[in-house]
Amino acid sequence: MPKRVLINEVVTRDGFQSEPDFVPTETKVELINALAGLGLNKIEVTSFVSPRAVPNLSDAAEVIQAIRKDTPTRYVALVPNQKGCARALELGVDEINLVMSVSESHNLANMRMTCDQSLQQFKDIAEMVSGTPMRLNGSLATTFGCPFEGQQSQERILRFVDAYLERGLHSLTLADTTGMAVPNQVQSLCEEVRKRWPELELTLHFHNTRGLGLANVYAALAAGVNQFDASLGGLGGCPFAPGATGNICTEDLVHMLSEMGLDTGVDLDGLLLQSQRLEEIVNHDLPGQVRKAGKRSDTRPLPQSVKELMQNGRS
Amino acid sequence: MPKRVLINEVVTRDGFQSEPDFVPTETKVELINALAGLGLNKIEVTSFVSPRAVPNLSDAAEVIQAIRKDTPTRYVALVPNQKGCARALELGVDEINLVMSVSESHNLANMRMTCDQSLQQFKDIAEMVSGTPMRLNGSLATTFGCPFEGQQSQERILRFVDAYLERGLHSLTLADTTGMAVPNQVQSLCEEVRKRWPELELTLHFHNTRGLGLANVYAALAAGVNQFDASLGGLGGCPFAPGATGNICTEDLVHMLSEMGLDTGVDLDGLLLQSQRLEEIVNHDLPGQVRKAGKRSDTRPLPQSVKELMQNGRS
């Protein structure tokens, strides 16, 4: 199990993209600035998708221009095509995240491209980025299951990992897009990927749709994975299941890891404060549990009746 | 990892005990009868505690008398003292569950006894039960942390396991009473208990208070544990944290295990139906997630737009 675990925050992209009400640009910038001071490894700030498809991220460029740049946190933008890549290069984003689905049908539904077309585009983007300081992360959506096709074969997943690396992508995210992963599946796939590509920078991206988010993190840790995406407060719905929760919750993840004795470098109390602030921003309840229940280490005062019983026992 | 996992349902005891409105006896009986047909190993039906302390379980005897007896499911009653044991014997309960806390202060708060006094009582109860067909399970509350004292030493926990077995208890439940367990702690303790007492029938009882319930199940499975308590719908609050969830959810647990390829013998669809019924009984939202999100294996029809793209690709 790794001693040091890196946490990537995705709330302003994966969280806000499904919020019905537009979050003001200034509010986004304030939240990102606050989060960037808390020791997170990366923040996936926004996405250069069509403003029509995702109205809440239509201010991508303004947000990137306005956020503070004096922190070690790496800023990431999700980029769907060459045009998005050109904008990210122009704005000086630290890293772009490219996505395709392992499942052909999900890639068609989500990107309106075949997997082969996506891979061709990644090659073109890698050429655009080559020679610049911008880093390229590749995400494999529906790695642990496709809502249309079900489970994907390990052979197909590994073939796409190979294709990503061949095209010059610097790091990889295995994403459980609709919360279908189960822990033994996660552990076995992560062990295989780490065995074949021991030097690969590998991130796991889980959704807690069916309550298995942190179980899957534990399974990935057992396979030696040391980098996870998460969303403040657990914000981010499942597009197919109204009422179902979305991404694993950043503060619940950091709480688990630090109570397990692992070092995340993240300020948990600071996260809890920002999660409280986030609930005011989106104006609805968030699924994160540690903020409701308190940290495991927050012991409570002894009830008076117990103190009396203890004193009687001594006398 | 075990191939076969046994599930013990606790909703009518651990779930109903914290419901503010009295659940009619007939409704309890109907629910237990329905659950008993679904392949559960045990059902903790009720508790012989003071009706003043837990009004919702004041009909313990009536419930036990009325439920069907023609199923292989073992019926359990929680028993706090000799008087409760005598009632259980009289009513022909299959098994009683005795509880003390690992933490002295929590045992004083919960049972108003020292741990030594509890152990003495268990000895007396074991003598009452000896020679009857009734089985005796011993639960160790606050095994993974006490809300007043924090983490308990492994040495103290193991000493109490030993004390339980010396007093003739047949099986053991390690209980995470207020949801403080973290997975590496669970795995390491379970490995130790199974190493010292390889023949012991061992159950783990988790609460999902801080989102770690199923992660802890995975950790216990990795240590070879094959029996878990859970509550339908996840019903059961945390007495110290309003809004925090309680027990791990039976249908979410069975869903995880069966999707991992493990055999529980439990009818998941039947559980999902009863969970729906339970929501009507208690008249509030339940934390269980699979009922909201659907099973992982419930794939969705391809969107028309994707079908068209696929057809165009072929032509």
Side-chain angles (χ1 to χ4, degrees):
Chain A
M1 205 161 280
K3 291 258 171 284
R4 167 86 177 167
V5 182
L6 303 176
I7 310 293
N8 305 328
E9 178 57 60
V10 301
V11 66
T12 49
R13 201 277 301 166
D14 211 348
F16 284 160
Q17 75 178 11
S18 47
E19 281 303 301
D21 298 327
F22 185 76
V23 179
T25 306
E26 202 184 292
T27 307
K28 286 173 182 146
V29 171
E30 275 172 19
L31 179 63
I32 293 163
N33 285 348
L35 290 169
L38 299 179
L40 296 156
N41 176 53
K42 304 183 191 178
I43 297 177
E44 191 160 295
V45 168
T46 188
S47 168
F48 290 112
V49 287
S50 144
R52 217 168 39 121
V54 188
N56 224 325
L57 304 186
S58 59
D59 56 359
E62 294 91 310
V63 170
I64 289 170
Q65 282 170 319
I67 51 181
R68 62 191 272 206
K69 305 294 190 303
D70 63 342
T71 74
T73 298
R74 212 189 289 169
Y75 294 124
V76 183
L78 188 79
V79 153
N81 50 33
Q82 286 103 318
K83 196 178 142 205
C85 175
R87 290 178 77 195
L89 279 168
E90 198 185 303
L91 289 161
V93 168
D94 297 322
E95 178 172 316
I96 58 174
N97 188 15
L98 306 174
V99 185
M100 67 172 268
S101 303
V102 173
S103 138
E104 194 75 39
S105 59
H106 192 269
N107 205 54
L108 285 167
N110 203 32
M111 310 299 291
R112 307 203 52 85
M113 278 189 272
T114 64
C115 294
D116 279 347
Q117 288 168 332
S118 284
L119 286 173
Q120 179 56 47
Q121 201 182 51
F122 293 170
K123 199 176 160 213
D124 298 340
I125 290 176
E127 280 165 16
M128 287 173 71
V129 167
S130 170
T132 77
M134 196 162 77
R135 289 181 57 86
L136 260 181
N137 184 74
S139 285
L140 269 176
T142 67
T143 292
F144 300 97
C146 163
F148 311 125
E149 297 179 19
Q151 191 146 339
Q152 301 296 297
S153 77
Q154 183 153 310
E155 184 258 328
R156 185 174 168 89
I157 299 163
L158 296 173
R159 185 149 49 85
F160 284 139
V161 176
D162 205 40
Y164 268 30
L165 298 178
E166 249 178 35
R167 277 154 190 77
L169 277 66
H170 304 122
S171 56
L172 175 77
T173 300
L174 298 175
D176 182 27
T177 313
T178 59
M180 292 175 71
V182 288
N184 57 348
Q185 174 198 26
V186 169
Q187 188 164 345
S188 122
L189 180 66
C190 291
E191 281 169 356
E192 188 60 31
V193 170
R194 284 184 36 84
K195 196 177 82 186
R196 293 205 192 189
W197 298 282
E199 302 301 320
L200 175 62
E201 186 189 326
L202 178 64
T203 297
L204 271 285
H205 176 106
F206 292 120
H207 284 232
N208 194 37
T209 319
R210 292 166 177 88
L212 293 171
L214 296 182
N216 290 327
V217 170
Y218 186 64
L221 287 169
V225 173
N226 69 346
Q227 195 164 155
F228 297 93
D229 288 351
S231 178
L232 191 68
L235 187 71
C238 172
F240 298 109
T245 60
N247 295 271
I248 57 171
C249 168
T250 312
E251 64 267 27
D252 289 5
L253 172 64
V254 170
H255 173 264
M256 171 176 98
L257 296 170
S258 52
E259 291 291 331
M260 281 172 65
L262 307 181
D263 175 27
T264 64
V266 177
D267 171 359
L268 177 55
D269 291 318
L271 276 183
L272 288 164
L273 270 176
Q274 291 310 314
S275 176
Q276 174 72 49
R277 168 82 186 109
L278 179 65
E279 197 163 274
E280 293 158 18
I281 293 172
V282 297
N283 198 27
H284 60 74
D285 184 54
L286 295 174
Q289 290 184 227
V290 172
R291 198 157 55 78
K292 289 166 194 152
K295 292 183 285 183
R296 175 181 188 261
S297 55
D298 292 342
T299 50
R300 288 153 207 280
L302 272 181
Q304 187 55 35
S305 64
V306 174
K307 280 187 199 161
E308 281 160 18
L309 283 169
M310 283 176 138
Q311 268 159 3
N312 294 345
R314 263 203 296 278
S315 64
Chain B
M1 205 162 279
K3 292 256 169 289
R4 167 87 177 167
V5 181
L6 303 177
I7 310 293
N8 306 328
E9 177 58 60
V10 301
V11 66
T12 48
R13 200 278 302 166
D14 211 350
F16 284 160
Q17 74 179 12
S18 48
E19 281 303 301
D21 298 328
F22 185 76
V23 179
T25 306
E26 201 183 293
T27 307
K28 286 173 183 147
V29 171
E30 274 172 22
L31 180 64
I32 294 163
N33 284 348
L35 290 169
L38 299 178
L40 296 157
N41 176 53
K42 302 183 192 177
I43 297 177
E44 190 161 296
V45 168
T46 188
S47 168
F48 289 112
V49 286
S50 142
R52 216 169 41 121
V54 187
N56 225 325
L57 304 186
S58 58
D59 56 359
E62 294 91 311
V63 170
I64 289 170
Q65 283 172 317
I67 52 181
R68 62 191 271 207
K69 305 292 190 303
D70 61 343
T71 74
T73 298
R74 212 189 290 169
Y75 293 123
V76 183
L78 188 79
V79 155
N81 50 34
Q82 286 102 318
K83 196 177 141 203
C85 175
R87 290 179 75 194
L89 279 169
E90 197 185 302
L91 289 160
V93 168
D94 297 322
E95 178 172 315
I96 58 174
N97 188 14
L98 306 175
V99 185
M100 66 172 268
S101 303
V102 173
S103 137
E104 193 75 39
S105 59
H106 193 269
N107 206 54
L108 284 168
N110 204 31
M111 308 300 290
R112 308 202 52 86
M113 278 188 271
T114 64
C115 294
D116 279 348
Q117 288 168 331
S118 284
L119 286 173
Q120 178 57 47
Q121 201 181 51
F122 293 170
K123 200 176 158 214
D124 297 341
I125 291 176
E127 281 165 16
M128 287 173 72
V129 167
S130 169
T132 77
M134 194 163 77
R135 287 180 57 86
L136 260 181
N137 184 73
S139 285
L140 269 177
T142 68
T143 291
F144 300 96
C146 164
F148 311 124
E149 296 179 20
Q151 192 146 339
Q152 301 295 298
S153 77
Q154 183 153 309
E155 184 257 327
R156 186 174 168 89
I157 299 164
L158 296 174
R159 187 150 46 86
F160 284 138
V161 176
D162 204 41
Y164 269 29
L165 299 179
E166 249 180 35
R167 277 154 190 77
L169 276 66
H170 305 121
S171 56
L172 175 77
T173 299
L174 299 175
D176 182 26
T177 314
T178 59
M180 293 175 70
V182 288
N184 56 349
Q185 174 199 27
V186 169
Q187 189 164 345
S188 121
L189 179 66
C190 291
E191 281 167 359
E192 188 61 30
V193 169
R194 285 183 36 83
K195 197 177 81 187
R196 293 205 191 188
W197 298 281
E199 302 303 319
L200 174 63
E201 186 189 326
L202 177 64
T203 296
L204 271 285
H205 176 105
F206 292 120
H207 283 230
N208 194 36
T209 320
R210 292 165 178 89
L212 294 170
L214 296 182
N216 290 328
V217 169
Y218 187 63
L221 288 169
V225 172
N226 70 346
Q227 196 165 155
F228 297 93
D229 286 352
S231 177
L232 191 69
L235 188 71
C238 171
F240 298 108
T245 60
N247 295 272
I248 57 170
C249 167
T250 313
E251 63 267 28
D252 290 5
L253 171 65
V254 170
H255 173 263
M256 171 176 99
L257 295 170
S258 53
E259 291 291 331
M260 282 172 65
L262 308 181
D263 174 26
T264 63
V266 176
D267 171 358
L268 177 56
D269 291 319
L271 276 184
L272 288 164
L273 270 177
Q274 291 310 314
S275 177
Q276 174 72 48
R277 168 82 185 109
L278 179 64
E279 197 162 274
E280 293 158 16
I281 293 172
V282 296
N283 199 27
H284 61 75
D285 184 55
L286 295 174
Q289 292 184 226
V290 172
R291 198 158 54 78
K292 290 165 193 153
K295 291 183 286 183
R296 175 180 188 260
S297 54
D298 292 341
T299 50
R300 288 154 206 282
L302 272 181
Q304 188 54 37
S305 64
V306 174
K307 281 188 198 159
E308 281 161 18
L309 282 169
M310 283 178 139
Q311 268 159 3
N312 294 345
R314 263 203 296 278
S315 64

